[in-house]
Amino acid sequence: MAETKRQTVRDLRRANRAALLRHLYFHGPLSRHELGQATGLSSGTVSNVTAGLLADGLLREAGSVDSDGGRPRTLLRVVPDCGLLIGIDVGETRVRVELFDITLAELARADYPLTDQGHDVGSVVRHIAAGVAAVLAAAAAGPEPLLGVGVGVPGIVESGVPGAGGAVVHGQTVGWDAVPLEALLRAAVELPPRVPFFVSNGARTFGQAEMWFGAGRGARDAVIALIGSGVGACIVTGGEPYGGADSAAGEWGHTTLRVGGRRCRCGALGCLEAYVGANALLERWVEAGGAAGAGGQGQEAALAALLAAAEADQPREVRLLEETAEYLGAGIADLVNLFNPERIVLGGWAGLLLGPHLLPAVRRAAGAYALRHPAARASIELGRLGTDAVTVGAATLPLADFLARGGRPDAEILARGS
């Protein structure tokens, strides 16, 4: 019989700090009285914990509000410059590195196009190393206040691989086979050993950003779909991203839409991505006699040209987008039937570009292909965080760790006793 782990005083202190810091982060500024009501902690515990957070420079006073017959109550809020976060998006056409303060206000960014060498691992790692140095220099910041680096990548991310030195990436569509990315970054990026790296699938980081700050906020069961050159999804159940047995869940773009259909970049036939991803959509346009642009930054311009032609009632382009909306709606219907989400959010640069034009048809198709009962309870809407959502989401990985630790390393919490 497995032994039940008993909660220690250290565990309790960390949990109290984390609960108060997290609640203030998402709902502040609040008074100590409001914090106690929201978290269920006693007034004495709230007073002790907030005193420690104030002493550590994580909170500051933010004015006061009148109380019922008593003295005004002081409001507390999280200090925006109490730490820095880096979010990195290894995208289809570029590597983007952004530096944020603790409130995820952008302080600096650096972009590196992926051109002839594509997703060569060495090139990507060099871009990330250069980008981290560049954004810290641009903000005149050293590594001391850096809380961590989050990286969103294409493919499946596996943790806990013996001897790998951290996260391993299986990116079939970009030619990455068991790449020990975390170890490579640790060796190449000039940061102190104490600064953690967090590597996750880009669709999942995007999903976390939309759940925390965007169109998914308030939902407990949702699917956040990322549509760019390819297609991915973040599945959220009970308010938490679902990863499956080894974090491979969410490869929605590689579910089969048509048996024996178009060949996908992953090598299989008939994947959803082979019909609704921007790369495949532009290929289909060429095959239909249209004139799509080349890859890289030209892909976005080409998709905008396709959309403009359809809006000008060009029959070929109208038919192509009608087919795409039906394919996408059918794919969403599968999500509705499998996961029964209350909300489905469409984002990514291609999703946000095409969404305003396709959304009504996508909703109709999803309703036609899904079971009526779950479909009637699922809303389909566009993301709200724009095309930077993956980098914001990547930065939420170290942010989540910071909040879960109550804002301090475990050893410090124990030593300070707060």
Side-chain angles (χ1 to χ4, degrees), residues 202-382:
R204 293 191 72 186
T205 69
F206 163 73
Q208 182 153 293
E210 286 286 354
M211 289 298 294
W212 279 20
F213 307 109
R217 190 167 187 177
R220 296 285 294 166
D221 297 282
V223 177
I224 316 297
L226 178 66
I227 304 175
S229 297
V231 176
C234 175
I235 300 161
V236 178
T237 60
E240 297 293 332
Y242 174 71
D246 59 359
S247 299
E251 291 292 339
W252 175 51
H254 302 292
T255 56
T256 303
L257 181 68
R258 177 178 290 181
V259 174
R262 294 175 57 85
R263 188 166 297 281
C264 179
R265 296 184 303 168
C266 74
L269 297 176
C271 293
L272 176 70
E273 182 174 301
Y275 292 90
V276 304
N279 189 63
L281 177 54
L282 294 176
E283 288 179 354
R284 291 169 54 221
W285 189 23
V286 171
E287 292 164 6
Q297 295 301 313
Q299 200 173 63
E300 186 170 349
L303 201 59
L306 168 59
L307 182 59
E311 290 176 338
D313 290 328
Q314 298 298 316
R316 175 179 54 210
E317 286 74 16
V318 168
R319 284 194 302 271
L320 184 62
L321 289 187
E322 286 175 345
E323 289 176 358
T324 302
E326 185 168 12
Y327 288 140
L328 182 54
I332 289 173
D334 289 341
L335 295 173
V336 170
N337 292 342
L338 283 169
F339 299 107
N340 189 28
E342 61 190 283
R343 196 174 306 168
I344 295 169
V345 179
L346 301 179
W349 70 266
L352 293 176
L353 181 61
L354 293 172
H357 181 90
L358 297 186
L359 199 55
V362 168
R363 287 172 173 151
R364 288 193 298 270
Y369 285 101
L371 293 171
R372 289 192 300 273
H373 183 77
R377 287 156 176 76
S379 66
I380 304 172
E381 54 191 272
L382 295 179

Side-chain angles (χ1 to χ4, degrees), residues 8-402:
T8 65
V9 173
R10 173 184 176 180
D11 295 332
L12 184 60
R13 288 171 177 162
R14 178 173 55 186
N16 290 343
R17 278 180 63 101
L20 290 178
L21 185 61
R22 182 182 175 89
H23 199 80
L24 273 171
Y25 183 86
F26 287 106
H27 304 288
L30 296 168
S31 68
R32 291 173 177 82
H33 178 71
E34 290 170 319
L35 278 171
Q37 289 183 320
T39 62
L41 297 175
S42 69
S43 59
T45 297
V46 171
S47 180
N48 288 338
V49 173
T50 54
L53 292 169
L54 284 161
D56 290 339
L58 302 183
L59 302 183
R60 68 165 57 127
E61 294 183 355
S64 61
V65 291
D66 293 333
S67 62
D68 297 332
R71 292 183 301 173
R73 292 174 176 153
T74 301
L75 297 175
L76 301 173
R77 61 170 296 180
V78 175
V79 178
D81 57 1
C82 68
L84 300 177
L85 307 160
I86 287 179
I88 299 168
D89 175 16
V90 181
E92 298 282 352
T93 61
R94 50 105 180 100
V95 173
R96 171 166 290 169
V97 181
E98 292 189 58
L99 179 70
F100 302 92
D101 69 13
I102 203 72
T103 66
L104 292 177
E106 182 187 310
L107 303 177
R109 76 163 56 182
D111 282 331
Y112 301 88
L114 295 174
T115 53
D116 294 341
Q117 293 178 304
H119 284 81
D120 171 74
V121 175
S123 297
V124 169
V125 169
R126 286 191 293 273
H127 289 327
I128 291 174
V132 169
V135 295
L136 289 174
E144 292 76 18
L146 191 59
L147 301 175
V149 178
V151 187
V153 297
I156 297 166
V157 179
E158 186 179 9
S159 301
V161 180
V168 172
V169 182
H170 306 271
Q172 194 165 321
T173 60
V174 295
W176 286 12
D177 183 13
V179 171
L181 186 63
E182 187 174 344
L184 294 174
L185 292 177
R186 177 60 70 189
V189 181
E190 295 185 3
L191 290 175
R194 65 160 187 84
V195 178
F197 283 80
F198 302 86
V199 183
S200 183
N201 173 268
R204 293 191 72 186
T205 69
F206 163 73
Q208 182 153 293
E210 286 286 354
M211 289 298 294
W212 279 20
F213 307 109
R217 190 167 187 177
R220 296 285 294 166
D221 297 282
V223 177
I224 316 297
L226 178 66
I227 304 175
S229 297
V231 176
C234 175
I235 300 161
V236 178
T237 60
E240 297 293 332
Y242 174 71
D246 59 359
S247 299
E251 291 292 339
W252 175 51
H254 302 292
T255 56
T256 303
L257 181 68
R258 177 178 290 181
V259 174
R262 294 175 57 85
R263 188 166 297 281
C264 179
R265 296 184 303 168
C266 74
L269 297 176
C271 293
L272 176 70
E273 182 174 301
Y275 292 90
V276 304
N279 189 63
L281 177 54
L282 294 176
E283 288 179 354
R284 291 169 54 221
W285 189 23
V286 171
E287 292 164 6
Q297 295 301 313
Q299 200 173 63
E300 186 170 349
L303 201 59
L306 168 59
L307 182 59
E311 290 176 338
D313 290 328
Q314 298 298 316
R316 175 179 54 210
E317 286 74 16
V318 168
R319 284 194 302 271
L320 184 62
L321 289 187
E322 286 175 345
E323 289 176 358
T324 302
E326 185 168 12
Y327 288 140
L328 182 54
I332 289 173
D334 289 341
L335 295 173
V336 170
N337 292 342
L338 283 169
F339 299 107
N340 189 28
E342 61 190 283
R343 196 174 306 168
I344 295 169
V345 179
L346 301 179
W349 70 266
L352 293 176
L353 181 61
L354 293 172
H357 181 90
L358 297 186
L359 199 55
V362 168
R363 287 172 173 151
R364 288 193 298 270
Y369 285 101
L371 293 171
R372 289 192 300 273
H373 183 77
R377 287 156 176 76
S379 66
I380 304 172
E381 54 191 272
L382 295 179
R384 298 176 188 168
L385 298 183
T387 57
D388 286 343
V390 174
T391 46
V392 173
T396 67
L397 301 176
L399 173 60
D401 177 70
F402 170 78

